[in-house]
Amino acid sequence: MCGIAGAITTKPLDGARLLRVLDRMRSRGPDGCGHAVLPLGQRALSLMHTRLSIVDLDARSDQPFRKHGMTLIYNGEVYNYPELRDELKSLGAVFETTGDTEVILEAYRQWGTDAVKRFEGMWAFALHDPARDILLLSRDRFGEKPLYVWSRPDGFYFASEVKALAVMVGEKPGVNTGQIRRYLVNGYKSLYAAGETFYQGVVEFPAGSVAVIRDDGGVVPHSYWSVGYAPVEMTLEDAAAQTRDHVVNAIEYRLRADVPVAVRLSGGIDSNIIAGVAQNVLGRKVTAFSVLDDDPRYDETASIVRAVDYFGCDHHAIRIPKTGFLDRMERLIDYFDGPLMTISYYLHALVSEAIHEAGFKVSLGGTGADELFSGYYDHYLFWLASQKDRPDFENLVEEWRGTYGRFVRNPFLQNPRAFIERPAARDHIFLGAERFAGFLKEPFAEPHSEGHYSEDPLRGRMLNELFVETVPVMLHEDDLAAMAFSVENRAAFLDSRLAEFLSTVPTRHLVHGGLPKYLLRQAGQGIAAPDIMENPRKQGINAPVTNMIDVTDPTVRAAILDNSPFYDIVDRAKVETFLGQGTTLNSESKFLFSLISAKLFMDGAAAADL
């Protein structure tokens, strides 16, 4: 994990500015830094890199990495680098390092831009090839590693973080208030569908893409990977066995590091399977970190204690602090260059801080498992809709009532036939949007829309979430919550081979015996606590914001309601009334967090300091 930045300009960035960019990316790479200025056609290419040493800790793998006249800056991990290195050696390549950075460069030398199709991992890189007089940009399939681009009249800029773009350019990009409104009214699931960021003119380089850039700075990304639903007939037993093999391989790859790896452990099945595979299949010593809350709606203490007892692993428990919430939020938002999407990432940052303080540089988490294996409450109802013609359909409904259906709080999802009666209904996704729009000074209404990925109702939702609605947002937040404390976050299940296999599994196998994520639960049999594997309730890191902040405290209320550009778009009087009403619904608690997060972001964005 590292930080990268670059600029294609008429004149190279001066030395002082290069050093300032490196300083701004220090938390992404505290173990080393470097820069290079190279010709690209009639322009100058300035490249910057900060390093967090994970694989091949020697300075020989520092970046910018130069070989064969080419120069590479790279953020991420290519997990299958040992296999690729052996293949490249058989083709005549000679290696001077033992890490993955040199493998990327040699793979490009051998296979050109098609090299990225052979990589299994997470990355954002820029590779300068003087022989072709090009710069190659690429980003991993799921978008685990960030890459922002800003095309301006004076040049083309790219970086791991918006703050680095601002330093390179010498000014902050303007706040995109339309995206703020979208976030407040429709929530985080609406953000990537809009194709915008919280900054005017700044966009993300698309995941799963590569672009060849010449000195004119024109960028036309081309997709090199996609996955869709293409079922192949197989038995439930075959699906479960192959899933387990792929899950084990995916986790084994993501444990590759020359430094210790931590596991972010919740009471849910995803993180327990990660810990179970690591310890009980691969023989790796597990050190787990968990955040605990006293609220009975979210308290996972009993499940986490059960997991720790089962594994007998080292465990660090982090209690959610009851003070200092606004100060922590200000610091995190300053680093995130945007609002925190949900309170889960405030908690993720708490865990990352503890992981860093314990001396770890890498953590594993379960991001993407719900979208790959079908883990959300609405997924079960979409699955029921896909199975409506089965002769045992009424039995399936009763199974739902006795398991997942017992825990559903969203009123739109309490009818097991919801998507049979209204297949296109998506009321549950932007829950409360009309009410929340009433807080804005100007009208805002943007109905939910989704891409057409599959005729199968469940697979269509899962693929929308995987590529647009949830996973891109979670990966963005995962990266920042970890890198704020110089920790590399790895998503254990976002493996292309696993995703490709699951795309061939018939939908009917995704739920069984009243349990969603059935195939993943089966993968955990014998390696994680059985009662956790069989728990029908969805578990995850969460807590209400009112557990961390007392909005009746006059000092807190004054901080939330003080003068701000935020109140140019939001009605302050309505916020004040809202603070006095209390938040009894989960959607209200989430909206309160969004108000605070967006307000603090706009306060910080208005500051002059770069």
Short mmCIF file of all heavy atoms in Angstrom, two decimals, residues 135-156:
data_model
loop_
_atom_site.label_atom_id
_atom_site.label_comp_id
_atom_site.label_asym_id
_atom_site.label_seq_id
_atom_site.Cartn_x
_atom_site.Cartn_y
_atom_site.Cartn_z
N LEU A 135 2.30 7.03 -21.11
CA LEU A 135 2.08 6.72 -19.70
C LEU A 135 0.89 5.78 -19.64
O LEU A 135 -0.17 6.05 -20.23
CB LEU A 135 1.78 7.99 -18.90
CG LEU A 135 1.49 7.76 -17.41
CD1 LEU A 135 2.76 7.38 -16.67
CD2 LEU A 135 0.86 9.00 -16.78
N LEU A 136 1.04 4.67 -18.93
CA LEU A 136 -0.03 3.70 -18.76
C LEU A 136 -0.62 3.85 -17.36
O LEU A 136 0.11 3.79 -16.37
CB LEU A 136 0.51 2.29 -18.95
CG LEU A 136 -0.51 1.15 -18.91
CD1 LEU A 136 -1.37 1.17 -20.14
CD2 LEU A 136 0.21 -0.21 -18.78
N LEU A 137 -1.93 4.07 -17.29
CA LEU A 137 -2.64 4.09 -16.01
C LEU A 137 -3.52 2.86 -15.92
O LEU A 137 -4.15 2.46 -16.90
CB LEU A 137 -3.53 5.33 -15.87
CG LEU A 137 -2.88 6.69 -15.61
CD1 LEU A 137 -3.97 7.74 -15.42
CD2 LEU A 137 -1.97 6.65 -14.40
N SER A 138 -3.59 2.26 -14.73
CA SER A 138 -4.47 1.11 -14.55
C SER A 138 -4.97 1.05 -13.12
O SER A 138 -4.29 1.52 -12.19
CB SER A 138 -3.75 -0.20 -14.89
OG SER A 138 -4.61 -1.31 -14.68
N ARG A 139 -6.17 0.46 -12.98
CA ARG A 139 -6.77 0.28 -11.66
C ARG A 139 -7.36 -1.13 -11.57
O ARG A 139 -7.82 -1.67 -12.58
CB ARG A 139 -7.86 1.33 -11.44
CG ARG A 139 -8.31 1.47 -10.00
CD ARG A 139 -9.19 2.69 -9.83
NE ARG A 139 -9.71 2.79 -8.47
CZ ARG A 139 -10.92 3.22 -8.16
NH1 ARG A 139 -11.74 3.61 -9.13
NH2 ARG A 139 -11.32 3.27 -6.91
N ASP A 140 -7.36 -1.72 -10.39
CA ASP A 140 -7.79 -3.10 -10.22
C ASP A 140 -9.26 -3.30 -10.53
O ASP A 140 -10.03 -2.35 -10.64
CB ASP A 140 -7.47 -3.59 -8.80
CG ASP A 140 -8.28 -2.88 -7.73
OD1 ASP A 140 -9.46 -3.24 -7.55
OD2 ASP A 140 -7.75 -1.97 -7.06
N ARG A 141 -9.66 -4.54 -10.63
CA ARG A 141 -10.99 -4.91 -11.12
C ARG A 141 -12.13 -4.32 -10.30
O ARG A 141 -13.15 -3.90 -10.84
CB ARG A 141 -11.12 -6.43 -11.16
CG ARG A 141 -10.19 -7.11 -12.16
CD ARG A 141 -10.25 -8.63 -12.00
NE ARG A 141 -9.40 -9.33 -12.95
CZ ARG A 141 -8.10 -9.53 -12.77
NH1 ARG A 141 -7.50 -9.07 -11.68
NH2 ARG A 141 -7.39 -10.18 -13.69
N PHE A 142 -11.99 -4.36 -8.98
CA PHE A 142 -13.09 -3.92 -8.11
C PHE A 142 -12.93 -2.47 -7.65
O PHE A 142 -13.86 -1.91 -7.07
CB PHE A 142 -13.19 -4.84 -6.89
CG PHE A 142 -13.53 -6.26 -7.22
CD1 PHE A 142 -12.53 -7.24 -7.25
CD2 PHE A 142 -14.82 -6.64 -7.53
CE1 PHE A 142 -12.82 -8.56 -7.56
CE2 PHE A 142 -15.12 -7.96 -7.85
CZ PHE A 142 -14.12 -8.92 -7.86
N GLY A 143 -11.76 -1.88 -7.88
CA GLY A 143 -11.52 -0.52 -7.43
C GLY A 143 -11.13 -0.43 -5.97
O GLY A 143 -11.48 0.53 -5.29
N GLU A 144 -10.38 -1.41 -5.50
CA GLU A 144 -9.91 -1.36 -4.10
C GLU A 144 -8.96 -0.19 -3.88
O GLU A 144 -9.00 0.45 -2.84
CB GLU A 144 -9.21 -2.67 -3.72
CG GLU A 144 -10.14 -3.83 -3.51
CD GLU A 144 -9.44 -5.02 -2.88
OE1 GLU A 144 -8.98 -4.90 -1.73
OE2 GLU A 144 -9.34 -6.07 -3.56
N LYS A 145 -8.11 0.06 -4.85
CA LYS A 145 -7.13 1.15 -4.69
C LYS A 145 -7.64 2.40 -5.42
O LYS A 145 -8.06 2.34 -6.57
CB LYS A 145 -5.77 0.73 -5.25
CG LYS A 145 -5.13 -0.41 -4.48
CD LYS A 145 -4.95 -0.09 -3.01
CE LYS A 145 -6.02 -0.72 -2.16
NZ LYS A 145 -6.19 -0.14 -0.83
N PRO A 146 -7.60 3.53 -4.75
CA PRO A 146 -8.16 4.76 -5.32
C PRO A 146 -7.26 5.38 -6.38
O PRO A 146 -6.03 5.25 -6.32
CB PRO A 146 -8.28 5.68 -4.10
CG PRO A 146 -7.16 5.23 -3.20
CD PRO A 146 -7.06 3.74 -3.40
N LEU A 147 -7.87 6.06 -7.32
CA LEU A 147 -7.13 6.84 -8.30
C LEU A 147 -8.03 7.95 -8.82
O LEU A 147 -8.99 7.70 -9.55
CB LEU A 147 -6.65 5.96 -9.47
CG LEU A 147 -5.72 6.64 -10.48
CD1 LEU A 147 -4.45 7.13 -9.79
CD2 LEU A 147 -5.37 5.69 -11.62
N TYR A 148 -7.72 9.18 -8.41
CA TYR A 148 -8.48 10.35 -8.83
C TYR A 148 -7.76 11.05 -9.98
O TYR A 148 -6.51 11.09 -10.01
CB TYR A 148 -8.62 11.34 -7.67
CG TYR A 148 -9.52 10.85 -6.56
CD1 TYR A 148 -8.97 10.22 -5.44
CD2 TYR A 148 -10.89 11.03 -6.62
CE1 TYR A 148 -9.79 9.76 -4.41
CE2 TYR A 148 -11.72 10.59 -5.59
CZ TYR A 148 -11.16 9.96 -4.49
OH TYR A 148 -11.97 9.51 -3.49
N VAL A 149 -8.52 11.60 -10.91
CA VAL A 149 -7.93 12.35 -12.01
C VAL A 149 -8.62 13.71 -12.12
O VAL A 149 -9.81 13.85 -11.82
CB VAL A 149 -8.03 11.58 -13.35
CG1 VAL A 149 -7.27 10.27 -13.27
CG2 VAL A 149 -9.48 11.31 -13.73
N TRP A 150 -7.84 14.69 -12.54
CA TRP A 150 -8.33 16.06 -12.68
C TRP A 150 -7.72 16.64 -13.95
O TRP A 150 -6.53 16.93 -13.99
CB TRP A 150 -7.95 16.89 -11.45
CG TRP A 150 -8.66 18.21 -11.35
CD1 TRP A 150 -9.65 18.70 -12.11
CD2 TRP A 150 -8.38 19.23 -10.37
NE1 TRP A 150 -10.05 19.94 -11.70
CE2 TRP A 150 -9.27 20.30 -10.62
CE3 TRP A 150 -7.47 19.34 -9.32
CZ2 TRP A 150 -9.26 21.47 -9.85
CZ3 TRP A 150 -7.47 20.50 -8.55
CH2 TRP A 150 -8.37 21.56 -8.82
N SER A 151 -8.52 16.74 -14.99
CA SER A 151 -8.06 17.33 -16.26
C SER A 151 -8.35 18.82 -16.25
O SER A 151 -9.49 19.25 -16.07
CB SER A 151 -8.78 16.67 -17.44
OG SER A 151 -8.45 15.31 -17.54
N ARG A 152 -7.30 19.61 -16.47
CA ARG A 152 -7.41 21.07 -16.44
C ARG A 152 -6.73 21.66 -17.67
O ARG A 152 -5.95 20.99 -18.34
CB ARG A 152 -6.74 21.61 -15.16
CG ARG A 152 -7.45 21.24 -13.88
CD ARG A 152 -6.59 21.58 -12.68
NE ARG A 152 -6.06 22.94 -12.73
CZ ARG A 152 -6.70 24.02 -12.27
NH1 ARG A 152 -7.90 23.89 -11.71
NH2 ARG A 152 -6.15 25.22 -12.35
N PRO A 153 -7.00 22.92 -17.97
CA PRO A 153 -6.35 23.54 -19.13
C PRO A 153 -4.82 23.52 -19.03
O PRO A 153 -4.13 23.45 -20.05
CB PRO A 153 -6.89 24.98 -19.11
CG PRO A 153 -8.20 24.87 -18.40
CD PRO A 153 -8.02 23.81 -17.37
N ASP A 154 -4.30 23.56 -17.79
CA ASP A 154 -2.84 23.62 -17.63
C ASP A 154 -2.19 22.25 -17.50
O ASP A 154 -0.96 22.16 -17.38
CB ASP A 154 -2.47 24.46 -16.40
CG ASP A 154 -3.02 23.87 -15.11
OD1 ASP A 154 -4.03 23.14 -15.16
OD2 ASP A 154 -2.44 24.14 -14.04
N GLY A 155 -2.99 21.18 -17.52
CA GLY A 155 -2.38 19.86 -17.43
C GLY A 155 -3.33 18.79 -16.96
O GLY A 155 -4.51 19.03 -16.68
N PHE A 156 -2.79 17.58 -16.88
CA PHE A 156 -3.54 16.42 -16.43
C PHE A 156 -2.90 15.92 -15.14
O PHE A 156 -1.69 15.69 -15.07
CB PHE A 156 -3.52 15.32 -17.49
CG PHE A 156 -4.10 14.02 -17.05
CD1 PHE A 156 -5.48 13.85 -16.95
CD2 PHE A 156 -3.28 12.95 -16.72
CE1 PHE A 156 -6.02 12.65 -16.54
CE2 PHE A 156 -3.81 11.74 -16.30
CZ PHE A 156 -5.18 11.59 -16.22
#
